[in-house]
């Protein structure tokens, strides 16, 4: 119906290429099915070594490496810094431009984000934008529809066909000097920020070179990776969906605790340009707190917030949707327009002949099975049979509860022709009086 | 509109008379206003002594009365028995006939209920039925609208005008032999079950006559009274209203814990004939559990339950009501029928002259203030200005979220005459083609 706008259709140079050897003309390995013979070709061995091999080696080495408390403390602090590099930097700043950062803050985030060893900003943000734009579809790079483990790790451990992943506009990232530089020098950034820097800190400050490498380097990387991977897996699997339940993103405090506040993921997918993930003050979102702090320090500005009117509208619409689903499961009685029409005299006759019929508000109800159960007693309900019981039912004798009205509607069997008004008028004519009040 | 049915209008003998000296012809004390001179005449001194004086005396005497563990244990057990006499007996059996009981169970409940010292079944149930029928009105004997303390104690401590309290049908109670007998011999029941019996148990079994009297008698009465009074005060003051918020009853687990399960009072007022107060298995309702146990033992039968379809309907309607209230507080944009009608050519002209107008689904939106904020970029949104952007907005370029649709609706400024269909048809005519597809 409409052509793709210009920035969408620009050729390859705009797109980051993950593998220099990739030639779009040759058939990609993912195009041939996985077999006993070729399975090892489907595996991204580099990533297996990076994500699983090195941490495993680190764990084993840790057995012979004493853990000093200074190193432990620094590892935790550095865990939070590199985690923030991903959540506040890669994610909220670059993938979603939910706020703007001054150059020093950008450099800091690009550096510590690199130390989390999750790829360059450019590569990460491109995939992440595709994830938001094509959530849960085949174009989503880490679609949870392919399994929880796939969305957590599998998408990196198995080779991916670059053609499969949805295209997104990353022209703003290509114009960003810090992003450009980090992408070009990614391997150096990774090695230095991931391993050399923590080793230097622990080595120079308290002489624990080995501990700094193993604990604040290797093992810290492993924990930061697993934690941030949870945004792709756990956050699409565990929790509530207060804003939209058509896709998989979910809100849960456990995910928030693990991911430095990225756990309110249903909100985030609905309002990705909002610098917050948690909108309540009591929810855990240290990434939001950090961005806010940077703003106070003059390092961040233009913090974007979706209008709360629109947020509340979204929440309400989702609640309404759930309510409508529940409503459709209940018995609301035969709809009025499907009921047979009865003559008033016919109603009176049938009631006189022993059918337990009570007319309320122009609708005839069969209360036969309810007479003995009536909380107001048999005599009371019987006094309404064959009459217009509207007034009695609505306060003339007893002002029935909403529950009683609901029960009544399930007993509908017909409507009086012309409604009760016609009967009132006819009776008034007969009595030659000009009254509209009935007395039963 | 309708005359009161027979059982409602029967004369005095049907009504229990609280005070033999009461003469309906003489002016009642409550008809003269409370002054410095007559205030003591307004006070019900008998009740002051019974509810506050005796417990106070008991507290003081307790200082010189050692508490033995057997007596303490028995006092707690007897507290539960006499409490159940009120909740399972006076309340759910006699006031609401929510189940039927065999003679031995009735005698047990009438006895232990008497031991709680809260009046006879007949008097208690009559007031309680009036409380349900006229909740929160002046005819409610313990209306919480007169203050929390009034609903807890005040209504007993101050003299009441018998004419004020709403009339109810208690013919079933007048036919009940156990109720009759207990009413006639109420003072004997009170003294024996309230004080003599616990004294006898503790005296004969472990020689603690004095402790039995003070702890299992006087002080236990005080606690049972205060606990069950909470049904009239706390249950109308603290908690949620999941079924109906037009009146004061509320659900709260604290009230339930204090009152042997009568804390789900919003439910109870909506479905008083249900033998349960708590409908979820995990909610605390030992009164319900006891009734259920008596049923298994063959002592209780005909346990009434409101149809769960009607219960769920009530809950849903209340949720809908709250949702509608919230909805009315939000900005949903100008309703379509209040928007000015624009000619298509006028829309195109205005947009060409610099107004940021975008037409989506036949509605014109002014997006001028939003262009720089657009999460999809300035270029994208500008590409829709002066065109029919329906297809772009709904997936042609980007399938916008529900949040984006909500935001869009707040920017409405006009509707295209005849909707877009007319434009499509006109254009097709002009191009002399028989097509209904537009290309922007
Ligand atoms: C026609 C179908 C009727 C239904 C489905 C019905 C249902 C109910 C229900 C569920 C209650 C329990 C309290 C409440 O939820 O409000 C109730 C109470 C009562 N009903 Fe009806 N009712 C019907 C007809 C009547 C009629 C015709 C009369 C009187 C002429 C009547 C008189 C009463 C009275 C006086 C009570 C109060 C009982 C009390 O609190 O002591 N009802 N009814
Ligand atoms: C007319 C008023 C418009 C409004 C109120 C609006 C609103 C939004 C919002 C709130 C988003 C964020 C994602 C979402 O919530 O779905 C968004 C994203 C987007 N919009 Fe619009 N939009 C408008 C017009 C357009 C037009 C005319 C185009 C294209 C011609 C367009 C293209 C896009 C694209 C491509 C994105 C995705 C950005 C990304 O995820 O990278 N929008 N828009
Ligand atoms: Fe996600
Ligand atoms: Fe995101
Ligand atoms: Fe109540
Ligand atoms: Fe009650």
């Amino acid at each position: 119906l409409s052509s793709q706008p210009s920035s969408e259709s620009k050729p390859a140079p705009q797109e980051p290429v993950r593998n220099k050897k990739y030639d779009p003309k040759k058939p990609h390995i993912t195009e041939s099915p996985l077999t006993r013979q070729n399975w090892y070709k489907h595996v991204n061995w580099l990533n297996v070594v990076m994500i699983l091999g090195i941490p495993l080696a680190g764990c084993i080495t840790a057995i012979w490496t004493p853990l000093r408390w200074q190193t432990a403390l620094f590892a935790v602090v550095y865990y939070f810094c590199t985690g923030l590099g991903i959540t506040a930097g890669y994610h909220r700043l670059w993938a979603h431009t939910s706020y703007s950062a001054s150059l020093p803050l950008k450099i800091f985030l690009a550096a510590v984000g690199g130390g989390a060893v999750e790829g360059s900003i450019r590569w990460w943000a491109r995939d992440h934008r595709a994830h938001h734009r094509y959530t849960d579809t085949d174009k989503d790079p880490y679609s949870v529809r392919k399994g929880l483990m796939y969305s957590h790790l599998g998408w990196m451990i198995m080779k991916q066909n670059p053609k499969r992943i949805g295209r997104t506009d990353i022209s703003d990232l290509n114009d960003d000097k810090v992003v450009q530089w980090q992408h070009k020098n990614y391997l150096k950034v990774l090695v230095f920020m991931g391993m050399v820097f923590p080793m230097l800190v622990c080595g120079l400050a308290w002489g624990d070179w080995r501990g700094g490498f193993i604990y604040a380097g290797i093992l810290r990387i492993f924990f930061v990776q697993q934690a941030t991977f949870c945004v792709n897996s756990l956050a699409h699997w565990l929790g509530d969906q207060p804003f939209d339940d058509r896709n998989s993103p979910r809100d849960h405090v456990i995910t928030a605790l693990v991911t430095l506040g990225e756990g309110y993921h249903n909100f985030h997918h609905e309002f990705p340009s909002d610098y917050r993930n948690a909108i309540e003050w009591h929810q855990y979102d240290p990434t939001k707190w950090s961005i806010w702090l940077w703003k106070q320090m003059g390092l961040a500005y233009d913090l974007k917030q979706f209008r709360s009117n629109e947020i509340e509208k979204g929440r309400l619409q989702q609640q309404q949707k759930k309510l409508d689903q529940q409503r459709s499961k209940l018995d609301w009685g035969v709809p009025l327009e499907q009921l047979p029409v009865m003559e008033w005299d016919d109603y009176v006759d049938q009631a006189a002949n022993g059918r337990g019929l009570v007319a309320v508000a122009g609708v005839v109800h069969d209360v036969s099975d309810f007479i003995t159960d009536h909380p107001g007693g048999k005599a009371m309900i019987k006094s309404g049979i064959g009459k217009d019981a509207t007034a009695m039912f609505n306060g003339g004798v007893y002002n029935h509860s909403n529950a009683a009205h609901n029960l009544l509607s399930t007993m509908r069997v017909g409507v009086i022709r012309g409604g009760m008004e016609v009967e009132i008028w006819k009776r008034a004519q007969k009595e030659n009086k000009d009254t509209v009040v009935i007395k039963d």
Side-chain angles (χ1 to χ4, degrees), chain A:
Chain A
L1 284 167
S2 162
S3 65
Q4 297 265 321
S6 56
S7 62
E8 284 293 296
S9 42
K10 271 182 196 157
Q14 285 274 359
E15 291 283 316
V17 173
R18 238 178 282 179
N19 189 337
K20 295 267 158 68
K21 282 173 285 180
Y22 171 66
D23 175 356
K25 271 152 221 145
K26 275 195 208 154
H28 193 264
I29 175 69
T30 54
E31 278 156 41
S32 45
L34 192 101
T35 60
R36 278 201 182 185
Q37 278 72 45
N38 77 357
W39 68 270
Y40 66 92
K41 285 191 196 164
H42 277 267
V43 175
N44 186 332
W45 290 106
L46 181 68
N47 282 351
V48 170
V49 172
M50 297 291 282
I51 299 172
L52 298 175
I54 296 181
L56 203 72
C59 270
I60 294 168
T61 325
I63 301 172
W64 302 283
T65 313
L67 176 60
R68 292 181 52 181
W69 71 263
Q70 299 99 323
T71 308
L73 190 71
F74 174 73
V76 170
V77 171
Y78 199 51
Y79 165 90
F80 275 93
C81 288
T82 47
L84 274 180
I86 297 296
T87 61
Y90 279 45
H91 187 216
R92 301 196 198 181
L93 175 63
W94 281 296
H96 294 303
T97 59
S98 68
Y99 67 100
S100 304
S102 60
L103 190 62
L105 181 57
K106 271 190 183 178
I107 293 172
F108 168 75
L109 289 170
V112 289
V117 190
E118 302 191 9
S120 74
I121 300 166
R122 193 162 173 268
W123 172 81
W124 197 100
R126 191 201 67 140
D127 267 13
H128 191 73
R129 288 185 185 179
H131 165 68
H132 271 267
R133 199 153 172 182
Y134 304 103
T135 314
D136 296 342
T137 70
D138 202 50
K139 290 181 171 178
D140 177 350
Y142 20 85
S143 169
V144 77
R145 295 265 190 268
K146 299 187 179 167
L148 190 67
M149 274 325 285
Y150 179 85
S151 65
H152 192 76
L153 274 176
W155 69 280
M156 286 173 289
I157 281 178
M158 302 306 287
K159 279 193 186 138
Q160 299 297 322
N161 189 339
K163 277 187 253 173
R164 179 181 70 77
I165 291 156
R167 286 178 149 230
T168 48
D169 177 8
I170 54 161
S171 49
D172 56 321
L173 299 178
N174 289 331
D175 292 344
D176 188 316
K177 295 268 174 294
V178 176
V179 176
Q180 269 177 24
W181 188 89
Q182 201 236 31
H183 189 68
K184 271 193 212 117
N185 303 282
Y186 184 63
L187 207 68
K188 287 175 210 153
V189 173
L190 182 160
V191 172
F192 184 77
M193 292 307 296
M195 283 158 281
V196 178
F197 176 73
M199 199 166 81
L200 277 176
V201 170
C202 301
L204 294 177
W206 50 88
D208 189 14
W209 297 87
R210 185 184 168 123
F213 179 73
I214 296 293
Y215 291 108
I218 305 295
L219 288 185
R220 190 260 325 147
I221 293 176
F222 175 68
F223 283 109
V224 168
Q225 284 181 340
Q226 295 301 318
T228 43
F229 294 169
C230 282
V231 182
N232 297 335
S233 54
L234 210 57
H236 283 261
W237 185 73
L238 174 74
D240 299 328
Q241 306 193 295
F243 296 99
D244 197 344
D245 65 2
R246 290 172 300 182
N247 288 330
S248 60
R250 285 161 190 277
D251 282 7
H252 205 287
V253 62
I254 290 180
T255 320
L257 288 171
V258 171
T259 61
L260 299 177
E262 307 272 38
Y264 305 95
H265 206 61
N266 193 260
F267 173 85
H268 172 65
H269 268 261
E270 196 64 12
F271 308 102
S273 61
D274 200 306
Y275 85 96
R276 308 163 302 172
N277 264 18
I279 51 172
E280 310 292 349
W281 64 266
H282 58 264
Q283 290 171 327
Y284 180 78
D285 189 353
T287 302
K288 173 183 80 176
W289 304 334
S290 304
I291 297 171
W292 184 87
L293 212 72
W294 295 331
K295 188 198 162 169
Q296 310 309 313
M297 294 163 68
L299 293 168
Y301 52 98
D302 270 358
L303 275 52
K304 287 189 207 146
Q305 253 181 258
F306 221 88
R307 280 179 50 189
S308 75
N309 183 59
E310 263 50 55
I311 295 175
E312 285 315 309
K313 272 155 86 172
R315 199 200 297 275
L316 227 71
Q317 286 159 329
Q318 179 58 29
Q319 282 176 354
Q320 186 65 59
K321 188 175 166 185
K322 281 190 198 146
L323 226 55
D324 291 344
Q325 280 165 359
Q326 285 177 273
R327 191 193 313 273
S328 67
K329 285 188 207 126
L330 298 175
D331 170 15
W332 296 86
V334 185
L336 289 181
E337 61 277 11
Q338 286 172 27
L339 287 173
V341 177
M342 266 174 121
E343 298 297 332
W344 172 260
D345 296 330
D346 188 24
Y347 158 66
V348 176
D349 279 357
Q350 288 200 31
N353 290 330
R355 243 187 117 186
L357 297 185
V358 178
V360 174
V363 181
V364 179
H365 306 87
D366 189 339
V367 302
S368 313
D369 296 338
F370 182 65
I371 293 174
T372 49
D373 296 334
H374 180 233
K378 283 183 225 173
M380 287 279 181
I381 192 166
K382 274 188 182 162
S383 73
I385 291 178
K387 299 200 193 129
D388 179 5
T390 314
M392 300 184 202
F393 191 80
N394 287 323
V397 176
Y398 181 68
N399 194 0
H400 283 79
S401 68
N402 186 39
H405 278 92
N406 279 334
L407 198 61
L408 188 68
S409 71
T410 63
M411 302 177 187
R412 292 169 178 167
V413 292
V415 283
I416 300 289
R417 182 178 307 282
M420 295 312 300
E421 291 77 3
V422 172
E423 288 312 311
I424 294 164
W425 177 82
K426 280 202 291 196
R427 229 182 300 177
Q429 291 297 94
K430 218 188 287 171
E431 295 169 19
N432 267 329
K433 276 193 281 177
D434 200 26
T435 174
V436 285
V437 178
I438 36 160
K439 267 215 141 217
D440 285 294

